[in-house]
């Protein structure tokens, strides 16, 4: 197996954690390349369920090197809590590495995230309030603090003082909120630094050394294509590049090293937070209720109920294009077993015009009316199927229909949350 990028193709929560954990044994290293603890990736191993926010999903395998790349933002407190959880469960974090160039999420980032959202009022993004946007904002403004800054008290205090010169007036004058002092933050963060010191490294060099030795890397995306800062449904997006291109900038390896791009696609669609969603079904409708409850669509990070809707083929096709997908892992097919018939969106109508790709203008996307095709359901439990041939013909046809829309093969089909509830076709 060469190296591969794994990305979300919708609005997140497609089952990236499950698939990443499943295929990680094929790789020597798993690296996260963007995002922070806004992510919530679920791994189910027998009776035990883990919700990972910062740590790559390769952590379950002791021989696998897990890297938090330079494109990530890191909340040191949350990272240490995760490390403690794994160590407490007998899962070693000795092979965990954190890039010295990853940016640090600071207490004022979280406060500002909440304050910005409040200021937006009814136009809010519905962020996770984990400080992600403000942290990336400081990165782009070239005033952010990085993991390497934690390792030198003098540098940390000096840089922090200069950031607070900008942040405090904002907190005080615009939002009427309490300000921060250098001592207050340094006391807390330098404590984390001592514990994190052994994990911090020059990760770009480490990854390139692995590749030179002929080792393989799995790049684990967080969030998803439609939450990408450039290719997503702006402004209702996150603040990083979640699409496949982010894997190279967010880790420091060259593009020639990527062999496959695996898109994780839910057999229907969900979204957390604000913004347009053409195929959304209200929770109060029978279909919306079934998708939410059968799919247990509640956020891993914030516990919010996810908005649910029918599979959107326009989005699938768009995601295949902007990520250059070579393969799809179709997840949660079992959730659709409840329906007599299943709708799939194949196009949008916008002001009398038909679209088979996402309209570039955001107001056009916001008023897109889905054009559906209705496919027969299968109405039998498929959670025990382990070979593609075991699936009822209607389920196989559903998979083929999606392959046609996305113009990409479905190489993996997931029929339940557990590792073994999976059909490997061509991975
Ligand atoms: P991620 O953020 O993309 O890793 O996805 P989440 O972990 O936030 O959400 C996916 C949810 O679906 C988790 O609760 C998984 O355990 C669960 N899940 C993953 N694949 C399947 C599947 O094929 N069937 C069912 N029923 N649940 C699944
Ligand atoms: P995983 O990796 C689903 C959403 C938030 C909000 C928007 C911006 O588990 O798929 P942010 O806090 O990032 O500034 O919020 O993005 N969002 C996610 N939705 N899954 C995620 O991660 C998400 N991470 C952020 O709900 O709409
Ligand atoms: Mg998630």
């Amino acid at each position: 197996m060469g190296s591969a990028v794994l990305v979300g193709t919708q609005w997140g929560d497609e089952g990236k954690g499950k698939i990443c954990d499943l295929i990680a044994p094929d790789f020597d290293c798993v690296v996260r390349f963007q995002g922070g603890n806004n992510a919530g990736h679920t791994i189910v191993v027998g009776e035990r369920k883990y919700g990972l926010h910062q740590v790559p999903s390769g952590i379950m395998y002791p021989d696998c090197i897990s890297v938090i790349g330079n494109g990530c933002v890191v909340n040191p407190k949350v990272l240490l809590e995760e490390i403690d959880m794994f160590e407490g469960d007998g899962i070693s974090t000795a092979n965990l590495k954190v890039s010295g160039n990853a940016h640090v999420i600071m207490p004022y980032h979280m406060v500002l995230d909440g304050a910005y959202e409040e200021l937006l009022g009814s136009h809010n993004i519905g962020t996770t309030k984990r400080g992600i946007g403000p942290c990336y904002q400081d990165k782009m403004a070239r005033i952010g603090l990085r993991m390497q800054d934690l390792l030198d008290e003098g540098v940390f205090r000096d840089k922090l003082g200069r950031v607070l010169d900008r942040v405090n007036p904002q907190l005080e004058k615009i939002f009427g909120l309490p300000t921060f002092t250098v001592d207050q933050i340094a006391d807390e963060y330098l404590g984390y630094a001592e514990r994190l010191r052994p994990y911090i490294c020059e990760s770009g060099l480490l990854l390139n050394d692995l590749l030179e030795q002929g080792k393989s890397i799995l790049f684990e995306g967080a969030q998803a294509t439609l939450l990408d800062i450039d290719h997503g449904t702006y402004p209702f997006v996150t603040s990083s590049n979640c699409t496949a291109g982010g894997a190279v900038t967010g880790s420091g390896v060259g593009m020639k090293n990527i062999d496959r791009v695996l898109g994780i696609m839910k057999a229907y669609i969900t979204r957390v937070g604000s913004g347009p969603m053409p195929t959304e079904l209200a929770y109060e409708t029978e279909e919306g209720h079934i998708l939410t409850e059968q799919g247990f669509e509640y956020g891993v990070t914030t516990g919010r109920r996810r908005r649910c809707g029918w599979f959107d083929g326009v989005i699938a096709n768009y995601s295949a294009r902007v990520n250059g997908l070579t393969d799809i892992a179709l997840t949660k097919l079992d959730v659709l077993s409840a329906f007599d018939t299943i709708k799939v969106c194949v196009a949008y109508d916008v002001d009398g015009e038909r679209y088979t790709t996402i309209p570039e203008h955001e107001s056009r996307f916001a008023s897109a009316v889905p054009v559906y095709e209705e496919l027969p359901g299968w109405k039998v439990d498929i959670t025990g199927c382990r070979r593609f041939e075991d699936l009822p013909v209607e389920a196989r046809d559903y998979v083929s229909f999606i392959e046609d829309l996305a113009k990409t093969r479905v190489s993996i089909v997931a029929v339940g949350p557990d590792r073994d509830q999976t059909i490997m076709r061509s991975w």
Side-chain angles (χ1 to χ4, degrees), residues 243-387:
T243 44
V248 289
T249 51
S251 69
V253 310
M255 284 182 279
K256 66 176 182 184
N257 299 297
I258 314 286
D259 300 292
R260 288 169 91 168
V261 183
L262 175 65
I264 315 301
M265 218 171 260
K266 212 181 280 201
Y268 49 99
I269 203 162
T270 62
R271 175 164 208 175
V272 196
S274 327
M277 180 179 176
T279 65
E280 180 169 16
L281 296 161
Y283 181 68
E284 293 68 30
T285 63
E286 192 189 343
E287 295 149 329
H289 192 267
I290 291 174
L291 287 178
T292 314
E293 298 306 330
Q294 299 276 329
F296 191 66
E297 296 297 352
Y298 293 89
V300 180
T301 300
T302 58
R304 287 177 290 178
R305 189 171 75 211
R306 297 169 180 155
R307 300 156 64 191
C308 294
W310 294 120
F311 186 87
D312 189 325
V314 180
I315 289 174
N317 183 277
Y318 175 79
S319 275
R321 167 158 63 89
V322 298
N323 291 296
L325 297 185
T326 59
D327 301 82
I328 290 169
L330 188 69
T331 60
K332 302 192 102 164
L333 189 63
D334 54 298
V335 175
L336 297 182
S337 300
F339 295 99
D340 291 324
T341 58
I342 301 163
K343 284 186 187 162
V344 174
C345 167
V346 294
Y348 304 141
D349 278 339
V350 187
D351 299 336
E353 223 180 300
R354 185 146 294 189
Y355 282 80
T356 52
T357 190
I358 297 185
E360 193 180 41
H361 205 286
E362 68 181 76
S363 64
R364 299 216 125 215
F365 182 64
S367 53
V369 177
V371 178
Y372 287 115
E373 281 202 29
E374 200 154 347
L375 275 61
W378 45 90
K379 294 285 273 188
V380 290
D381 181 7
I382 59 168
T383 56
C385 296
R386 295 293 174 269
R387 294 175 311 159

Side-chain angles (χ1 to χ4, degrees), residues 12-13 16 39-41 300 306:
D13 306 322
K16 295 177 291 293
H41 296 183
V300 180
R306 297 169 180 155

Side-chain angles (χ1 to χ4, degrees), residues 9-280:
T9 60
Q10 299 160 329
W11 275 292
D13 306 322
E14 299 91 348
K16 295 177 291 293
K18 166 181 161 141
I19 302 296
C20 192
D21 168 69
L22 179 79
I23 64 174
D26 298 337
F27 298 87
D28 300 295
C29 173
V30 176
V31 53
R32 279 270 313 264
F33 54 87
Q34 45 70 230
N37 60 317
N38 46 348
H41 296 183
T42 313
I43 298 178
V44 179
V45 188
E47 297 293 292
R48 194 77 169 89
K49 185 169 168 177
Y50 296 94
L52 278 63
H53 301 290
Q54 298 257 172
V55 170
S57 299
I59 198 73
M60 310 305 288
Y61 305 97
D63 295 333
C64 183
I65 298 173
S66 293
V67 177
I68 298 176
N70 58 274
C72 295
V73 290
V74 178
N75 181 320
K77 180 168 183 269
V78 173
L79 177 57
L80 283 166
E81 282 165 5
E82 244 168 73
I83 288 172
D84 288 342
M85 173 188 77
F86 284 118
E87 292 287 346
D89 250 17
I91 297 164
S92 170
T93 58
N95 269 335
L96 175 67
K97 310 283 172 204
V98 185
S99 168
N101 285 350
H103 278 250
V104 184
I105 300 174
M106 306 295 281
Y108 46 82
H109 290 143
M110 290 173 270
V111 173
L112 285 171
D113 198 349
Y116 292 153
E117 282 285 90
E118 209 162 301
L119 198 62
L120 283 169
S122 62
H123 297 281
N124 73 54
I125 297 163
T127 74
T128 60
K129 300 210 175 114
R130 298 301 190 266
I132 307 298
C135 186
Y136 277 114
Q137 190 176 313
D138 281 0
K139 171 178 174 170
M140 292 308 182
R142 296 158 296 180
I143 56 161
L145 283 116
R146 299 188 288 175
M147 293 304 287
Q148 57 176 292
D149 298 321
L150 285 174
L151 302 179
D152 184 315
E153 180 170 353
V155 169
F156 184 77
R157 284 179 173 274
D158 183 43
K159 288 192 178 180
L160 179 57
R162 274 177 278 146
V163 187
L164 288 181
D165 287 343
R166 288 200 193 190
V167 167
N168 279 338
Q170 215 188 127
L171 288 172
E172 198 176 8
K173 299 204 171 91
I174 301 179
F175 298 111
L177 288 167
T179 55
F180 289 90
T181 65
V182 170
D183 283 341
Q184 185 188 355
I185 297 177
D187 283 351
E188 181 188 347
Y189 273 56
L190 293 170
Y192 302 143
E194 271 333 290
R195 287 201 57 205
L196 287 173
R197 186 178 290 274
Y199 297 100
I200 299 172
C201 74
E202 201 177 329
S203 61
L205 188 62
L206 168 87
L207 294 169
N208 280 287
D209 282 349
L210 288 173
L211 289 167
E212 265 181 30
Q213 292 160 29
K215 310 263 188 199
S216 59
I217 299 175
L218 176 60
F219 299 84
E220 178 185 10
Q223 289 81 53
T225 304
L226 292 192
L227 291 173
D228 182 286
I229 187 77
D230 285 287
H231 303 291
T233 46
Y234 195 89
F236 302 103
V237 293
T238 190
S239 299
S240 64
N241 281 119
C242 327
T243 44
V248 289
T249 51
S251 69
V253 310
M255 284 182 279
K256 66 176 182 184
N257 299 297
I258 314 286
D259 300 292
R260 288 169 91 168
V261 183
L262 175 65
I264 315 301
M265 218 171 260
K266 212 181 280 201
Y268 49 99
I269 203 162
T270 62
R271 175 164 208 175
V272 196
S274 327
M277 180 179 176
T279 65
E280 180 169 16

